Amino acid sequence: MNKAIRKAVIAGNWKMNKTPAEAKELINGIKPLVKDAACGVVCCVPYVDLPVVLEAAKGSNIGVGAENCHWEKSGAFTGEISAEMLASMGVEYVIIGHSERRQYFGETNETVNKRIRAALDAGLRVILCVGESLQQREQGVTSELVAMQTKIALGGVTKDELAHIIIAYEPIWAIGTGKTATSEQANEVCHTIRATVASLYDQKAADALTVQYGGSMKPGNAADLLAQPDVDGGLIGGASLKPQDFAAIVKAASEG
């Protein structure tokens, strides 16, 4: 596998953290630390933080993303945000299918697919999340589950559109728990994702796909994870809220 044909991307997922004032301070803290990064850098932030983060990131190498979007352009969906609304603000990325959305808010493989369709139609880049629970890993169904999630999510997505999608493997049991998949475990599932994409499209498309790891990546384990042939970056939770930690992961990806 030739990693030279695809660019690593480190994306921060701030989750439900930071007021607008705090978000501005955090972005301004991150900017000088990542300005020379050789990898892609993205910060996905709460809706209320988007205006100040977009303004603070202007002219920098930091891409800005949202943490979710609805599949309809408009309508009676109280509390939801459409992909068109995000695009109109200048948002570039959106996370879709995060395990917390699946676990707490009723997200399904089918609604993930609908959200991806809406995001692509609005011109957004998608960070698609897939991954298994601890019970599913112990039952030995990780590969089948992740392949199924990937196939359903990409239903109706053309090969050209695939170029606007990043897939993040996030083992649910490693999110916010401090537990991390071993480098070998992470690479094995990232390879499964790539093989699934190859079966849906072709090997060239699979080789060009950026596949992130998203389960408690931090400065201490980033280099080992990012050294794996099928791990092209990370979707970073807690460490993305600490400028020095986030920058250390970006540095590891830049050198990998």
Side-chain angles (χ1 to χ4, degrees):
M1 193 66 65
N2 182 8
K3 293 184 77 167
I5 65 174
R6 54 185 182 266
K7 189 175 184 179
V9 177
I10 300 297
N13 175 18
W14 290 11
K15 307 190 180 184
M16 195 177 73
N17 292 291
K18 303 300 179 184
T19 64
E22 291 168 340
K24 182 179 180 180
E25 181 181 3
L26 179 53
I27 283 291
N28 285 334
I30 291 171
K31 272 196 301 188
L33 301 178
V34 303
K35 63 183 177 61
D36 298 320
C39 66
V41 181
V42 181
C43 289
C44 296
V45 308
Y47 295 131
V48 296
D49 293 339
L50 285 169
V52 296
V53 170
L54 283 163
E55 182 62 31
K58 197 175 291 182
S60 76
N61 61 326
I62 299 175
V64 178
E67 297 177 14
N68 192 29
C69 70
H70 199 266
W71 57 82
E72 294 290 350
K73 291 185 177 182
S74 63
F77 302 102
T78 301
E80 290 293 328
I81 303 291
S82 74
E84 282 74 14
M85 291 173 181
L86 297 174
S88 73
M89 297 176 70
V91 172
E92 187 179 358
Y93 292 85
V94 61
I95 298 171
I96 295 179
H98 192 278
S99 64
E100 289 157 6
R101 299 301 311 175
R102 296 177 191 255
Q103 182 177 357
Y104 302 129
F105 304 106
E107 191 79 84
T108 67
N109 291 325
E110 289 72 25
T111 58
V112 165
N113 175 249
K114 290 166 72 174
R115 293 182 204 275
I116 288 174
R117 181 72 268 151
L120 292 173
D121 287 346
L124 299 176
R125 293 182 173 273
V126 172
I127 300 176
L128 161 65
C129 300
V130 298
E132 84 285 12
S133 67
L134 181 58
Q135 182 182 21
Q136 289 162 338
R137 172 163 281 276
E138 290 175 342
Q139 290 171 336
V141 298
T142 296
S143 293
E144 296 94 320
L145 179 85
V146 169
M148 179 186 71
Q149 289 176 331
T150 301
K151 288 177 180 178
I152 296 174
L154 296 179
V157 174
T158 69
K159 184 177 174 181
D160 286 343
E161 289 173 332
L162 186 67
H164 300 287
I165 294 178
I166 292 169
I167 300 182
Y169 165 53
E170 40 159 42
I172 297 168
W173 48 272
I175 297 171
T177 64
K179 296 179 181 177
T180 311
T182 66
S183 299
E184 292 74 19
Q185 286 174 325
N187 190 70
E188 181 181 6
V189 183
C190 289
H191 179 75
T192 294
I193 293 167
R194 204 178 302 284
T196 302
V197 170
S199 73
L200 294 173
Y201 301 92
D202 57 37
Q203 192 60 52
K204 184 177 180 182
D207 287 346
L209 177 73
T210 295
V211 182
Q212 297 174 321
Y213 172 73
S216 294
M217 184 182 284
K218 41 192 176 281
N221 61 26
D224 285 344
L225 287 161
L226 293 165
Q228 295 298 310
D230 281 299
V231 179
D232 308 315
L235 182 59
I236 314 302
S240 70
L241 302 174
K242 303 171 183 175
Q244 296 290 345
D245 286 2
F246 188 62
I249 297 171
V250 168
K251 185 172 187 284
S254 297
E255 295 174 348

